[in-house]
């Protein structure tokens, strides 16, 4: 297959009140996304310029259905081909329970939870260090869908 890179939530920089699902970021995901002004970003190094398929790992409850996320390269708006920004609407409910891992005592770390891989679209990425930014452009209810991470696959 084509080389892919995963950018988990725990490696993201959070701006605003969006937070991790646990005080321990390992295996956690983004939750509490209640404002359109909040953003998260990953500093990434692109070795091969070109087109990449972008996916979000998401969990979507009935009240979060219709969340629209935007994935963009911060500072890449000067790119000639302009495919530096893509948006996607999460219209399919995927809301599995957290896995308690057979714990006898409630743990402080984040429990794991299944997430679905959702195709966002193709991003044109220049080579070099840059910032991959995720923002929410439509909140259907009080909170946006939960995000475990971003995956980029070279086309």
């Amino acid at each position: 297959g084509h080389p892919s890179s995963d950018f988990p939530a725990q490696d993201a920089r959070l701006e605003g009140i969006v937070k991790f699902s646990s005080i321990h970021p390992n295996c956690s995901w983004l939750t509490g996304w209640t404002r359109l002004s909040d953003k998260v970003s990953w500093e990434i190094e692109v070795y091969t310029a070109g087109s990449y398929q972008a996916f979000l790992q998401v969990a979507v409850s009935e009240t979060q259905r219709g969340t629209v996320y935007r994935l963009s390269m911060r500072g890449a708006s000067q790119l000639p081909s302009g495919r530096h920004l893509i948006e996607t609407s999460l219209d399919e409910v995927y809301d599995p329970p957290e896995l308690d891992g057979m714990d006898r005592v409630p743990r402080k770390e984040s429990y794991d939870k299944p997430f679905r891989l959702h195709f966002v679209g193709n991003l044109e990425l220049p080579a070099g260090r840059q910032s991959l930014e995720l923002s929410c452009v439509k909140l259907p209810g009080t909170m946006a869908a939960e995000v475990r991470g971003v995956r980029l696959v070279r086309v």
Side-chain angles (χ1 to χ4, degrees):
H2 293 278
S4 70
S5 299
D6 283 312
F7 303 98
Q10 68 202 44
D11 295 341
R13 199 180 84 220
L14 280 48
E15 297 174 39
I17 59 173
V18 61
K19 61 186 191 291
F20 295 117
S21 57
S22 163
I23 56 165
H24 304 280
N26 300 16
C27 285
S28 66
W29 54 87
L30 302 168
T31 188
W33 204 314
T34 57
R35 303 189 311 190
L36 295 178
S37 56
D38 290 6
K39 292 179 173 65
V40 302
S41 58
W42 291 264
E43 294 307 311
I44 70 171
E45 179 84 46
V46 177
Y47 294 107
T48 309
S51 191
Y52 288 78
Q53 288 184 324
F55 297 86
L56 286 177
Q57 292 168 287
V58 294
V60 187
S61 72
E62 185 59 54
T63 59
Q64 296 164 341
R65 196 157 58 90
T67 297
V68 177
Y69 275 120
R70 173 183 292 158
L71 203 53
S72 59
M73 297 308 297
R74 185 184 276 169
S77 52
Q78 68 278 16
L79 284 180
S81 61
R83 291 301 293 161
H84 60 275
L85 183 152
I86 46 180
E87 292 183 356
T88 189
S89 181
L90 300 171
D91 300 321
E92 202 176 306
V93 172
Y94 181 75
D95 193 21
E98 290 183 23
L99 307 170
D100 65 12
M102 311 289 283
D103 290 357
R104 294 208 174 110
V105 178
R107 60 170 106 165
K108 294 186 182 76
E109 294 81 18
S110 186
Y111 286 100
D112 211 349
K113 176 175 171 169
F115 284 80
R116 185 171 72 83
L117 210 53
H118 173 84
F119 178 62
V120 180
N122 284 12
L123 268 179
E124 290 296 325
L125 303 183
R129 281 191 73 76
Q130 48 216 310
S131 188
L132 180 65
E133 188 174 274
L134 181 67
S135 56
C136 181
V137 292
K138 184 180 172 209
L139 274 169
T142 54
M143 190 170 89
E146 294 176 322
V147 177
R148 175 75 182 85
V150 176
R151 177 174 293 171
L152 296 178
V153 181
R154 179 97 170 84
V155 177

